[in-house]
Amino acid sequence: MSPVRLVILAILFYIGYRMLRGLGSSGSGQVEEEKKDRAGKEPGVQDVLVEDPVCHTLIPRHQAVRLRQQGKTWYFCSEDCCDRFIEGGETPRDDV
Ligand SMILES: [Zn+2]
Protein backbone atom coordinates (compact mmCIF):
# COMPACT_ATOMS: atom_id res chain seq x y z
CA MET A 1 0.00 0.00 0.00
CA SER A 2 1.43 3.32 -1.07
CA PRO A 3 1.49 6.26 1.31
CA VAL A 4 -0.29 8.38 -1.30
CA ARG A 5 -3.39 6.21 -1.07
CA LEU A 6 -3.32 6.49 2.68
CA VAL A 7 -3.25 10.26 2.40
CA ILE A 8 -6.13 10.26 -0.10
CA LEU A 9 -8.14 7.98 2.16
CA ALA A 10 -7.43 10.24 5.09
CA ILE A 11 -8.56 13.29 3.15
CA LEU A 12 -11.74 11.56 1.98
CA PHE A 13 -12.45 10.43 5.49
CA TYR A 14 -11.87 13.95 6.76
CA ILE A 15 -14.17 15.49 4.13
CA GLY A 16 -16.90 12.98 4.93
CA TYR A 17 -16.48 13.66 8.60
CA ARG A 18 -16.76 17.41 8.03
CA MET A 19 -19.87 16.95 5.89
CA LEU A 20 -21.55 14.83 8.52
CA ARG A 21 -20.76 17.35 11.21
CA GLY A 22 -21.98 20.17 8.98
CA LEU A 23 -25.30 18.42 8.46
CA GLY A 24 -25.68 17.50 12.09
CA SER A 25 -25.09 20.90 13.55
CA SER A 26 -26.98 23.25 11.30
CA GLY A 27 -25.05 26.43 11.79
CA SER A 28 -24.74 26.20 15.53
CA GLY A 29 -21.04 26.89 15.32
CA GLN A 30 -21.51 30.37 14.04
CA VAL A 31 -20.03 33.08 16.15
CA GLU A 32 -22.35 35.98 16.52
CA GLU A 33 -20.58 39.25 16.39
CA GLU A 34 -22.32 42.26 17.73
CA LYS A 35 -22.06 44.97 15.20
CA LYS A 36 -22.79 48.22 16.88
CA ASP A 37 -24.05 50.95 14.63
CA ARG A 38 -22.11 53.94 15.74
CA ALA A 39 -23.69 56.25 13.26
CA GLY A 40 -27.24 55.01 13.71
CA LYS A 41 -27.59 55.77 17.39
CA GLU A 42 -27.78 59.52 17.58
CA PRO A 43 -27.54 61.03 14.12
CA GLY A 44 -25.85 64.38 14.00
CA VAL A 45 -24.91 64.47 17.66
CA GLN A 46 -21.31 63.39 17.20
CA ASP A 47 -20.28 66.56 15.47
CA VAL A 48 -21.57 68.88 18.14
CA LEU A 49 -18.87 70.56 20.16
CA VAL A 50 -19.62 71.72 23.65
CA GLU A 51 -17.61 74.05 25.83
CA ASP A 52 -16.28 73.05 29.20
CA PRO A 53 -17.36 75.87 31.56
CA VAL A 54 -14.31 75.27 33.79
CA CYS A 55 -11.38 75.18 31.41
CA HIS A 56 -13.23 76.34 28.29
CA THR A 57 -12.12 73.40 26.21
CA LEU A 58 -14.26 72.37 23.30
CA ILE A 59 -15.13 68.69 23.36
CA PRO A 60 -17.43 66.50 21.26
CA ARG A 61 -20.66 66.17 23.18
CA HIS A 62 -20.74 62.36 23.07
CA GLN A 63 -17.34 62.26 24.78
CA ALA A 64 -18.09 64.84 27.41
CA VAL A 65 -18.77 64.24 31.08
CA ARG A 66 -22.33 65.32 31.74
CA LEU A 67 -23.72 67.05 34.78
CA ARG A 68 -27.33 68.01 35.24
CA GLN A 69 -27.85 70.94 37.51
CA GLN A 70 -30.89 73.15 37.94
CA GLY A 71 -32.52 71.81 34.82
CA LYS A 72 -29.49 72.50 32.73
CA THR A 73 -26.94 70.07 31.39
CA TRP A 74 -23.29 70.94 31.63
CA TYR A 75 -20.55 69.24 29.67
CA PHE A 76 -16.99 68.79 30.86
CA CYS A 77 -13.82 67.54 29.23
CA SER A 78 -13.08 65.35 32.25
CA GLU A 79 -14.37 64.36 35.65
CA ASP A 80 -11.77 66.64 37.18
CA CYS A 81 -13.41 69.67 35.63
CA CYS A 82 -16.82 68.38 36.65
CA ASP A 83 -15.63 68.10 40.25
CA ARG A 84 -14.11 71.53 40.13
CA PHE A 85 -17.34 72.93 38.80
CA ILE A 86 -19.34 71.33 41.62
CA GLU A 87 -16.86 72.39 44.30
CA GLY A 88 -16.54 75.90 43.00
CA GLY A 89 -20.26 76.35 42.67
CA GLU A 90 -19.66 78.97 40.03
CA THR A 91 -22.34 79.04 37.44
CA PRO A 92 -21.25 80.88 34.34
CA ARG A 93 -23.82 83.28 33.04
CA ASP A 94 -23.36 82.70 29.37
CA ASP A 95 -26.53 81.05 28.19
CA VAL A 96 -25.79 78.97 25.14
ZN1 LIG B 1 -12.04 70.84 31.33
Side-chain angles (χ1 to χ4, degrees):
M1 207 171 193
S2 67
V4 177
R5 282 195 69 175
L6 276 175
V7 170
I8 291 170
L9 275 174
I11 291 171
L12 285 173
F13 183 79
Y14 177 71
I15 290 171
Y17 176 71
R18 284 293 296 269
M19 283 178 75
L20 282 173
R21 279 200 73 182
L23 291 171
S25 60
S26 55
S28 67
Q30 284 181 346
V31 180
E32 288 185 18
E33 291 182 16
E34 289 184 19
K35 291 179 181 175
K36 293 174 183 175
D37 293 307
R38 290 178 187 175
K41 207 171 183 180
E42 288 178 86
V45 170
Q46 278 106 334
D47 296 326
V48 179
L49 289 176
V50 288
E51 188 177 347
D52 185 324
V54 177
C55 68
H56 300 284
T57 305
L58 289 173
I59 359 106
R61 195 159 76 182
H62 70 284
Q63 284 182 11
V65 178
R66 292 184 198 187
L67 171 71
R68 281 188 189 175
Q69 199 175 68
Q70 296 165 358
K72 202 174 177 184
T73 306
W74 299 97
Y75 297 96
F76 305 94
C77 70
S78 64
E79 302 228 355
D80 277 352
C81 284
C82 184
D83 288 344
R84 253 188 269 172
F85 183 79
I86 295 167
E87 285 171 17
E90 296 172 13
T91 306
R93 286 181 185 176
D94 50 350
D95 273 339
V96 180

